[in-house]
Amino acid sequence: MKEYFGNVSKINYEGPGSKNPYSFKYYNPDEVIGGKTMKEHLRFSLSYWHTLTANGADPFGAGTMLRPWDDITNEMDLAKARMEAAFELMDKLNIEYFCFHDRDIAPEGKTLQETNENLDEIVAYCKELMKKYNKKLLWGTANCFTNPRYVHGAGTSCNADVFAYAAAQIKKALEVTKELGGENYVFWGGREGYETLLNTDMGLELDNFARLLQMAVDYAKEIGFTGQFLIEPKPKEPTKHQYDFDTATVLGFLKKYNLDKYFKVNIEANHATLAQHTFQHELNFARINNFLGSIDANQGDPMLGWDTDQFPTNIYDATLAMYEILKNGGLAPGGVNFDAKVRRASFEKEDLFLAYIAGMDTFAKGLKVAHKLLENGELENFIKNKYASFSEGIGKEIVEGKVGLKELEAYALKNNEITNKSGRQELLEAIVNQYIFED
Ligand code: XLS
Ligand code: CA
Ligand code: CA
């Protein structure tokens, strides 16, 4: 098999002192942290679309990426070359998992039938390479947003023929995900949203979207697909209002349609910030609702209002994300998928390695710091103490449901001096900094 990245060899752990850009400074796969190896904690995954198919085009200019498969013109040959390159990358970067949309890995044909045949051919090849390289599929999904037929959405389209097409596509994507042993299946909203309510029946669109999800749940049962279903929230882009706005909205939606027991969330950092939340907020909210499934690790630019999907290099955010993930007891069967793309000006093939190394090292270091923070319990103890009034006296009675408004009025009438304690935000931020600097 051709080598696509011959000038880069296997990336090894060399430790924080290393100046070799092609080495891990913090990601040491077999290092044990709190009873699990880093590899088991992090379950890193490569995103097929950003890594193998993105060409760097933006609304102002054509693609810039220089890739070793640029000279291949036959679409199926190109798909196979990218597949081989994907496994070489995963192998050299020591990444165990990957994720894809159906249309990332195989080209669309003239008919749905032909498209499915293309997919089958590539999936067979993918299966072979997975075995050869010992790699696993974290999740599969269907791209129901790129093709112009999805102009009004897929499951929320006003056109029943489009709904049917999306259903057929999802059916096939589920079969393929099962065939490759995928551990999860993702629904990201795509164009499930609206531009203006002047032309939108939001009630019907949401009911139909729930119908589509129910059909997927039923079909998974029928074919014996036991992976976890995930919904990936995003507040805007491509539509002005995306129905899966954020984790809380998704949970409310699923509960309304009695679908909540079948789904968890795949939380993307950049989508959290577009919804005006921190990544930690979304993870925390999912965790306390037993709803955290997997993450798309990336970062946005705080000065831009769109989805930039940059590789995550912010150690502060990664630490707090890993803090929530550790408190969640890990992510499995989910993982840390780098839904991130190199910048348009980082167009050389080596940039792919450098970007993944940066992201993996950031999360590895974040894991180490978060573990120490949790182990020493400084934040946990502070929070416990802050809410101590609910473990005794009147607070305990409130929590245990033993008092109502009348009893609380009687209590408040007698309790003339209320004292509060400081929230100590600056101290806590300094403690987190200290752990990041000193670890
Ligand atoms: C787009 C989403 C998408 C999903 C998978 O913003 O991040 O790439 O992760 O469909
Ligand atoms: Ca994503
Ligand atoms: Ca994104």
Side-chain angles (χ1 to χ4, degrees):
M1 205 170 79
K2 184 178 161 188
E3 196 178 15
Y4 295 84
F5 305 97
N7 50 342
V8 182
S9 42
K10 217 159 181 143
I11 310 298
N12 295 312
Y13 173 73
E14 291 184 8
S18 173
K19 291 275 178 277
N20 173 9
Y22 294 95
S23 74
F24 293 118
K25 321 296 179 298
Y26 300 98
Y27 184 53
N28 187 10
D30 299 323
E31 186 177 328
V32 176
I33 295 185
K36 276 201 275 185
T37 62
M38 286 183 120
K39 188 176 164 177
E40 286 165 333
H41 276 290
L42 292 162
R43 299 167 60 82
F44 284 139
S45 159
L46 167 143
S47 63
Y48 208 94
W49 51 104
H50 284 318
T51 313
L52 283 311
T53 61
N55 68 2
D58 72 8
F60 303 93
T64 55
M65 297 300 152
L66 302 175
R67 297 292 179 249
W69 48 84
D70 284 343
D71 56 334
I72 305 178
T73 47
N74 176 290
E75 284 196 299
M76 287 300 277
D77 290 346
L78 178 60
K80 282 181 194 157
R82 283 177 170 149
M83 187 60 76
E84 291 168 358
F87 281 90
E88 187 186 328
L89 269 168
M90 284 187 267
D91 183 48
K92 289 186 169 171
L93 280 162
N94 210 337
I95 295 177
E96 201 183 356
Y97 288 92
F98 62 105
C99 300
F100 64 74
H101 303 82
D102 48 2
R103 303 300 176 249
D104 302 335
I105 60 169
E108 285 201 56
K110 284 191 204 74
T111 61
L112 182 58
Q113 170 96 21
E114 207 180 294
T115 303
N116 286 347
E117 283 162 15
N118 288 349
L119 195 55
D120 286 336
E121 193 178 327
I122 300 293
V123 164
Y125 192 40
C126 182
K127 203 171 171 184
E128 215 180 280
L129 294 178
M130 283 171 78
K131 213 167 159 197
K132 176 170 169 198
Y133 286 95
N134 192 22
K135 301 294 172 194
K136 294 181 259 186
L137 178 61
L138 187 67
W139 48 262
T141 188
N143 175 335
C144 297
F145 46 89
T146 299
N147 192 292
R149 77 175 65 86
Y150 294 120
V151 61
H152 295 304
T156 64
S157 173
C158 49
N159 184 344
D161 285 350
V162 174
F163 185 102
Y165 198 100
Q169 206 180 315
I170 290 165
K171 173 179 175 285
K172 182 73 183 168
L174 272 169
E175 290 162 6
V176 159
T177 301
K178 178 178 182 260
E179 169 75 10
L180 296 177
E183 298 184 26
N184 304 267
Y185 184 90
V186 164
F187 284 89
W188 165 61
R191 294 181 192 275
E192 315 295 23
Y194 65 80
E195 294 299 324
T196 170
L197 287 174
L198 294 176
N199 63 13
T200 303
D201 182 343
M202 179 150 56
L204 177 64
E205 291 201 0
L206 287 169
D207 288 349
N208 278 350
F209 188 40
R211 288 182 182 111
L212 186 64
L213 295 181
Q214 183 66 58
M215 289 176 197
V217 166
D218 293 344
Y219 189 64
K221 253 185 223 156
E222 198 179 319
I223 63 171
F225 172 67
T226 53
Q228 174 67 49
F229 274 115
L230 300 169
I231 292 197
E232 182 180 324
K234 186 175 185 180
K236 54 185 166 190
E237 211 194 4
T239 71
K240 162 191 154 141
H241 177 88
Q242 297 277 115
Y243 288 134
D244 295 330
F245 194 93
D246 61 3
T247 302
T249 309
V250 169
L251 185 59
F253 166 82
L254 291 171
K255 278 193 188 288
K256 174 178 173 188
Y257 295 98
N258 283 321
L259 284 163
D260 50 308
K261 56 180 170 299
Y262 304 114
F263 288 85
K264 289 192 173 184
V265 266
N266 177 41
I267 299 180
E268 179 178 316
N270 202 168
H271 298 178
T273 51
L274 285 177
Q276 307 280 310
H277 300 308
T278 60
F279 191 23
Q280 188 188 10
H281 165 90
E282 287 290 83
L283 295 169
N284 189 308
F285 183 83
R287 173 174 66 73
I288 61 176
N289 286 289
N290 189 25
F291 194 43
L292 176 55
S294 198
I295 68 165
D296 273 4
N298 63 11
Q299 67 190 29
D301 185 309
M303 273 167 275
L304 301 176
W306 63 90
D307 196 17
T308 59
D309 287 339
Q310 294 168 229
F311 273 85
T313 51
N314 183 320
I315 183 60
Y316 201 87
D317 291 345
T319 297
L320 297 179
M322 286 314 301
Y323 192 79
E324 295 298 331
I325 290 167
L326 287 176
K327 285 196 64 154
N328 193 56
L331 284 173
V336 175
N337 173 45
F338 290 102
D339 190 355
K341 58 182 176 217
V342 289
R343 299 302 83 195
R344 190 167 189 271
S346 304
F347 50 78
E348 293 175 352
K349 61 184 180 182
E350 293 78 8
D351 288 303
L352 288 173
F353 287 88
L354 300 171
Y356 271 96
I357 292 169
M360 291 164 77
D361 266 344
T362 303
F363 266 78
K365 169 80 176 172
L367 163 66
K368 294 178 100 167
V369 179
H371 172 70
K372 268 209 176 145
L373 265 170
L374 260 177
E375 204 177 40
N376 293 352
E378 284 180 72
L379 301 181
E380 295 303 290
N381 291 339
F382 184 87
I383 291 177
K384 206 168 157 214
N385 199 24
K386 187 175 175 218
Y387 295 88
S389 71
F390 284 95
S391 16
E392 60 193 9
I394 193 72
K396 194 162 180 241
E397 288 181 36
I398 293 172
V399 169
E400 289 173 354
K402 290 188 178 148
V403 289
L405 292 185
K406 274 186 291 177
E407 291 78 6
L408 291 172
E409 183 197 41
Y411 178 86
L413 282 170
K414 279 191 276 164
N415 191 27
N416 287 322
E417 275 206 24
I418 294 179
T419 50
N420 269 311
K421 287 191 243 167
S422 167
R424 296 268 192 268
Q425 182 172 334
E426 299 77 5
L427 168 68
L428 299 172
E429 287 169 348
I431 290 175
V432 173
N433 281 352
Q434 200 183 358
Y435 275 78
I436 291 174
F437 298 149
E438 285 180 3
D439 182 68

